[in-house]
Structure formats: structure tokens, C-alpha cells
Amino acid sequence: MPRRLTRRDALAAAGAVALGSLAGCSGRGSGPRFWDDPPSLDVEGVPREFDDPVPSAPRLVPVDVEPAVESAFADRVDRLLSPIPEPLTEERLPNGEIREQIETERAAAHEALPGPDESLPPLRATERYAAARGHAATAVGTWAAVTVEGDPTAVTADIGTVRRRTAETLESLPGPAADLLTGAAVYGPIERWCDEARRRTLVGSGPTDQANPLRTGEGAGDVERVQSLVEAGRYLRDRYAASLDDPMAVAEPLRREMNRLGSAVGDRLRELHGEGVEDLRQNPGTEAFVEGRAVARGAPSDSLLSSAVYRTFEDLRFDPVPVDNYEPDHPATGLTRTALAWTRLRSLDDVAARVGAGETMFPADAEAVGAARSAAIESAAALAGSENPLDRWLATQFLPLFADPDGALAAGDRSARSTVEAYTAYRWIETVTGEARTVTESVSDSFEAN
């Protein structure tokens, strides 16, 4: 795949030629390190807070969660927590570690519950209720494990029942949809809830370790959280399907598109690894993306490329992406995660092009940091507000990336390095949200052609 270099990138690269000449290194093992003698930056001139808020998570499911259902989820949390004394004193439970877990999980359960003034999209709201129920079950499961009258296995449904319900839910997905893109966005997250539970959370889980009350409680919490997600997934599936005037089956078209995108991902991975590699999902290292670099080791752009490559391939190791003769079982989550992987790979090529051209990504001045954030906000907002449901789904994956750089700039002990890392994080968000639209346009075109 040719590496893309925009006009702005070319201009930025031209301004970095002097630094590239000074670096004089083509590999990571020789030459000066960027932070040995970095350019100056007025860190105090960079704002700690910004006027532009991070865009809210977009809606993926076009139906609301009914108030009675929300109340039932919240009531479940209260009923779970009811056996635990309030306050839980040292006299009542002398073991400090066990008491701390119960108190911490009880507080987390209340904190996770959506507040009356919070307006959350349906998927996010049900995830919050599931988290609250999981924390509550952990608290009461731990309490039950240390009381004579308690029974940790009675806190929630038994693990065999939850496994069966999870498998049955997966078999019924994806359900009917108004169109293919909406089907992917609506059912992809629900499939992923169940698939992750079946392959990870419920493997060896459950409140069975009676010798360790802490683990017993955590096992109960895991099962309760999955049970909540399965209940929510079934509810949203049924409510969405009932809202359709002209439903269509989407499973096979989503699978074909998943495999088409997966073919592109696989071809790019083979280019990166070369011949003879046994596992295309393994990390090929940054040198696979840029052979020679005109920047010093550890330059912000170089560090961004390294961290982005690591994150991309860590997720690719476990994500249901159809490469290496593997075809995911569940097409909606398979398509969404493959679109995510393809977006990230394209974005890595963009960053690699900048590194190869000599751009260090060191901000020219304090104002450049705010400008980078504004550009990232604008690009992310366009993705989150798109009419394309797959755009909106990808936005849910990228909007959380603002938390770390915003937090770093607000910190009292920020430094030049942490400020520059925040700047490069904003540059990455702008890049990846821009590439996302290119990927989703190709998916839309493919659906229309077929």
C-alpha cells in the first residue's frame, strides 16, 4: 500500500528537514535521542482547560430503553446490596481487606448507576447498569462468603444457566435491521458482549472458590454482569426488531463485507511481515512501516508510531478479524472490528509517512497544542454526528482517546514531555477519525454495488 502524505504533512516535513539532518540516523540503535536536547516549548502557555467539549457518545440503537426496564435494572442493584449492613463496621467484619472490597464494590455499584439527569444512548446506559449489577454482586458475594447464613452461589444465576443464555443469544444474532450499516452498528456491540463473555469472562468463572472470599465475590460479580448484558442484549434486539416497518436479513451481506475488508487487512499484514511469517497478527515492529527515518530516536512522531503500532496489534491478536484463514462466527461484530483494524492500519501508514519525511510532531508553540485538539475535536465530532451508523460506531472507539491527553494537560505536574505527548495524541485522533470515514465510505459503496 502506498503511504499517503497530505499537502499539510509535506509542508510540516519540509520544516523538519533541519532536525532530520541533525538526527542523521536510519535505525533505532544509533544516533542522538530527541529528548537529549529538545526544542523549547512554553508549557505554561498551554491552556489547562479548553472551551470545546469532547463530543458525546453517539446513538447506535434507534430505540429508547423504557423507564420500567431502567427501573428494573436499578432495583436489581438495590436488592443485591440489601443483605450488607450499612455501615459495615470493623466490629461486624474485622478483616480489613475483605471489608474494603465490599465497601469499594458497593460504592462502585452506586456510582455506575446512571443518574436522573444523565442522557445516555441505549447501549451505554445498559452497559452502566450491567457494571452496577456486577459491582453489587461482587460486594454481596464477598459478604455471603464470610457469613454463616450467606450462600455465594445464590447471589446470581448459576454459571451454566448464564452460559446457555449467552450462547442462545449469540445464535439469534444478528437480527433483522432497517439496512446493512444499521445492522452492523446495532448488533455488533451486542454480539461482542456475548462473545467476550463466552470466550473470556465465563471461562473458569463463578463464585466457586470458597477458600478465598475475595475471588468468590469477584466470580459472582462476573456472572451477574454477563447476565445483565445478555438480558439487555435480548431486550434491545427485540425492541429494535419490533420497531422496523420493512425489516431485512443482514447476516450474509455483513459476512461478505467482513471478509472483503479482512482480505485488505490480510494483504497489508503480508506486506508488513514479508514472506514466510506464520502468524500475520503478530507485531511486525515499527521498522516494517518506515525503513529509514529522518528524525532522532524518541521524537514525538517516532514515539507515537511505536505506541500506536503496539496498541493496534495488541487488539488485532484477539479481535475477530478474518485473516490467516480464520472466519469469525459473528458477522456484525466481525465487520465492525475489521473496519476498526483497517482504519488503524491506514492511520499507521499516515504516521509512518510523516516519520519517514522527517516530521517530529513537536508543536511549534503553545498555541499549536490547542489547535491540534480543536482539529481532533472537529474530526471526531464529524464522525460521531455522521448519518452513517458505522461512522458512529467507530466514533465510540475513538472518543475515549481524549481522556488521557486532556488529563495530562490538566495535571498540576505536567511537563514539556507530557504536553507534547498530549499534542501527538490529538494528532493521532485527527488522523484515525479521518481515515475512518475513508473506510466506511468504501463499505457503503460495496453494499450499494451488491
Side-chain angles (χ1 to χ4, degrees):
M1 172 191 294
R3 296 190 177 103
R4 295 168 300 283
L5 191 64
T6 65
R7 180 176 179 274
R8 186 185 67 181
D9 300 332
L11 291 173
V17 168
L19 279 172
S21 300
L22 287 173
C25 61
S26 60
R28 298 183 67 84
S30 62
R33 294 184 178 275
F34 180 87
W35 289 99
D36 289 344
D37 185 23
S40 60
L41 176 67
D42 178 15
V43 175
E44 291 305 314
V46 177
R48 294 186 181 276
E49 298 179 357
F50 297 91
D51 294 333
D52 294 334
V54 175
S56 299
R59 173 185 286 265
L60 301 178
V61 179
V63 293
D64 292 320
V65 180
E66 297 164 294
V69 174
E70 290 184 328
S71 296
F73 275 93
D75 181 64
R76 172 65 176 163
V77 174
D78 291 337
R79 287 187 289 110
L80 281 167
L81 293 174
S82 61
I84 305 174
E86 177 64 48
L88 184 59
T89 63
E90 183 177 358
E91 290 74 20
R92 189 67 183 270
L93 181 57
N95 188 295
E97 186 177 9
I98 295 175
R99 189 174 66 252
E100 181 182 6
Q101 172 157 300
I102 294 172
E103 292 176 333
T104 298
E105 294 295 326
R106 177 166 57 184
H110 289 304
E111 185 177 346
L113 283 173
D117 298 328
E118 287 189 87
S119 178
L120 298 173
L123 289 171
R124 182 57 183 145
T126 52
E127 287 175 338
R128 288 275 295 275
Y129 284 116
R133 286 173 56 170
H135 287 302
T138 300
V140 74
T142 308
W143 170 252
V146 295
T147 56
V148 174
E149 67 274 15
D151 179 5
T153 63
V155 169
T156 188
D158 68 88
I159 190 169
T161 298
V162 176
R163 283 175 178 155
R164 184 176 66 254
R165 290 173 181 169
T166 302
E168 291 171 352
T169 304
L170 269 176
E171 290 174 359
S172 69
L173 295 170
D179 57 77
L180 297 173
L181 289 166
T182 303
V186 167
Y187 295 119
I190 300 173
E191 282 184 353
R192 187 160 177 83
W193 289 345
C194 296
D195 187 45
E196 284 196 326
R198 184 176 58 86
R199 291 188 296 110
R200 299 183 190 180
T201 312
L202 297 180
V203 176
S205 184
T208 58
D209 188 355
Q210 299 293 326
N212 188 330
L214 300 178
R215 291 183 179 176
T216 297
E218 290 165 358
D222 285 341
V223 174
E224 176 69 20
R225 182 175 60 82
V226 171
Q227 177 174 264
S228 180
L229 288 174
V230 170
E231 292 172 3
R234 290 184 172 200
Y235 168 77
L236 291 173
R237 175 201 63 194
D238 294 343
R239 184 161 170 77
Y240 172 63
S243 73
L244 300 173
D245 293 327
D246 187 19
M248 65 180 295
V250 299
E252 288 311 309
L254 292 181
R255 185 173 297 280
R256 287 195 297 271
E257 184 60 17
M258 173 190 75
N259 287 327
R260 185 190 72 84
L261 277 188
S263 179
V265 170
D267 288 345
R268 181 60 184 136
L269 294 179
R270 277 183 282 273
E271 291 177 3
L272 292 169
H273 285 293
E275 298 295 330
V277 65
E278 293 183 359
D279 181 9
L280 290 177
R281 295 171 184 268
Q282 68 183 3
N283 190 334
T286 57
E287 301 305 326
F289 289 87
V290 54
E291 295 178 0
R293 61 193 69 217
V295 298
R297 288 178 297 150
S301 57
D302 185 49
S303 295
L304 172 61
L305 178 62
S306 179
S307 60
V309 166
Y310 174 79
R311 289 193 301 267
T312 297
F313 282 89
E314 275 297 288
D315 282 350
L316 190 57
R317 286 176 59 197
F318 303 106
D319 268 357
V321 177
V323 296
D324 263 351
N325 298 316
Y326 163 71
E327 182 172 298
D329 294 328
H330 314 298
T333 192
L335 174 56
T336 53
R337 303 306 295 191
T338 304
L340 175 62
W342 188 220
T343 298
R344 285 170 164 170
L345 286 172
R346 290 175 61 92
S347 300
L348 290 175
D349 284 325
D350 284 345
V351 176
R354 296 180 174 113
V355 172
E359 183 181 353
T360 65
M361 283 194 188
F362 192 91
D365 49 38
E367 288 74 20
V369 179
R373 186 181 186 276
S374 296
I377 289 283
E378 181 179 357
S379 184
L383 196 67
S386 170
E387 294 184 359
N388 185 328
L390 189 54
D391 276 340
R392 298 198 298 274
W393 181 84
L394 284 166
T396 66
Q397 307 303 299
F398 301 136
L399 289 173
L401 298 180
F402 281 99
D404 283 347
D406 282 0
L409 294 182
D413 60 347
R414 67 181 182 180
S415 62
R417 191 159 191 162
S418 65
T419 301
V420 172
E421 287 172 349
Y423 170 77
T424 59
Y426 296 136
R427 296 286 298 272
W428 171 254
I429 295 171
E430 182 190 6
T431 298
V432 79
T433 50
E435 287 293 347
R437 288 189 287 277
T438 301
V439 171
T440 57
E441 286 172 7
S442 76
V443 173
S444 298
D445 292 344
S446 177
F447 282 148
E448 291 178 3
N450 294 292

